[in-house]
Amino acid sequence: TIHSMFMDFTFLTTEDFYIHVEFQTTDSGKDDLRRFHAYEAVFSHETGKKVLTYVIYSGGIKNARDTLDCGTYSYKISPIFLTQKSADEVFHYLQEKSKKGEGFTDEDYAKLSLTPLMSSGQGKKDTIKTAILLAKQDTRVTAEKTVAILYTMADKFLQGSDLEEIKEVVAMTRLGQMLYDDGLKAGKSEGRIEGSDRMASLTKKLLEAARMADLQLALDDPGYREKLMDEYGIK
């Protein structure tokens, strides 16, 4: 249960008003609209600017209430239903671009990162896998961020052997290689060969288990790094 009033995303436009974006996997009707209205009212009061709310629905939601009767006026949001979008169409478009040797734009990657929330003839696992394989063709930061987003969605939607399969695909991407390289650098920064060897061993173990978050913490926190070393019996 969320008790704090935190908006998902806000963006100040060049026309000096705010775009407020909310992501919803459930539809609570009037209760959601009252919450969004409260967000807008408080934020507008604090900033002195107009706020427009867009709600991105996924989780199979195909329609939702967009207007709330507030007595003397009506409050309205702009809903976006991702299940009305086709992941297969996005994949086909990007595959054709790839065949022609054309690079993907930032907008292409934005669409690709959202394909697990769209409708598709494939199952959730295969949709995510296809998206990751398309993203890994590029080595730019935007492509790597897209892989990270897709992996996060896999962790949310999948489990068991399906999730393990996605972990293997992620481990083969440049993102996995970068984390491995960072692990080697962290070991070498300790100033001794054995430190580098231990970090390399830990990095390999964490990548095999697709524990990306733990690997990042290990790179930043020496205490947590040692805890993981102990967990894997790395001396």
Side-chain angles (χ1 to χ4, degrees), residues 4-15:
S4 54
M5 298 285 280
F6 289 134
M7 304 168 84
D8 282 353
F9 294 97
T10 55
F11 304 92
L12 180 60
T13 69
T14 55
E15 297 180 17

Side-chain angles (χ1 to χ4, degrees), residues 79 84 120 199:
Q84 294 180 355
S120 174
M199 190 62 209

Side-chain angles (χ1 to χ4, degrees), residues 11-206:
F11 304 92
L12 180 60
T13 69
T14 55
E15 297 180 17
D16 205 34
F17 66 86
Y18 279 95
I19 294 293
H20 166 218
V21 181
E22 287 286 324
F23 288 87
Q24 286 291 112
T25 57
T26 59
D27 176 22
S28 298
K30 290 182 179 179
D31 288 342
D32 284 339
L33 292 174
R34 289 192 182 96
R35 178 163 56 88
F36 302 149
H37 187 23
Y39 289 163
E40 274 195 29
V42 172
F43 196 63
S44 180
H45 175 71
E46 291 293 325
T47 62
K49 300 181 187 300
K50 182 172 63 176
V51 183
L52 302 181
T53 294
Y54 292 83
V55 182
I56 299 178
Y57 290 96
S58 59
I61 299 173
K62 297 181 178 180
N63 55 71
R65 188 184 191 121
D66 64 357
T67 304
L68 178 67
D69 183 358
C70 298
T72 57
Y73 67 97
S74 294
Y75 168 71
K76 186 177 179 63
I77 55 126
S78 296
I80 300 171
F81 302 101
L82 286 181
T83 49
Q84 294 180 355
K85 307 291 183 180
S86 171
D88 297 333
E89 289 182 5
V90 174
F91 293 152
H92 178 72
Y93 170 72
L94 295 180
Q95 285 163 352
E96 289 300 311
K97 287 191 73 171
S98 182
K99 288 178 183 177
K100 296 176 183 176
E102 299 177 8
F104 297 168
T105 65
D106 287 348
E107 184 177 350
D108 290 335
Y109 281 114
K111 292 177 181 177
L112 192 59
S113 67
L114 293 172
T115 50
L117 303 177
M118 301 177 185
S119 61
S120 174
Q122 305 182 88
K124 192 72 72 179
K125 180 202 72 176
D126 290 329
T127 299
I128 294 173
K129 184 176 180 179
T130 300
I132 290 175
L133 291 173
L134 280 167
K136 68 177 287 190
Q137 296 178 29
D138 199 341
T139 58
R140 288 179 297 165
V141 173
T142 303
E144 290 158 4
K145 287 181 177 179
T146 301
V147 172
I149 292 170
L150 291 166
Y151 176 76
T152 301
M153 290 192 183
D155 195 45
K156 176 181 177 63
F157 294 125
L158 305 178
Q159 56 186 336
S161 60
D162 285 349
L163 182 56
E164 289 302 316
E165 186 174 336
I166 296 300
K167 287 179 179 180
E168 291 175 7
V169 175
V170 171
M172 292 186 294
T173 64
R174 177 169 156 77
L175 177 65
Q177 184 62 48
M178 287 178 64
L179 288 171
Y180 182 77
D181 293 342
D182 285 347
L184 290 178
K185 290 177 184 177
K188 290 177 181 177
S189 70
E190 294 180 10
R192 57 184 189 276
I193 298 299
E194 57 268 29
S196 179
D197 290 341
R198 292 177 72 222
M199 190 62 209
S201 296
L202 177 61
T203 301
K204 185 173 184 295
K205 294 285 188 183
L206 293 174

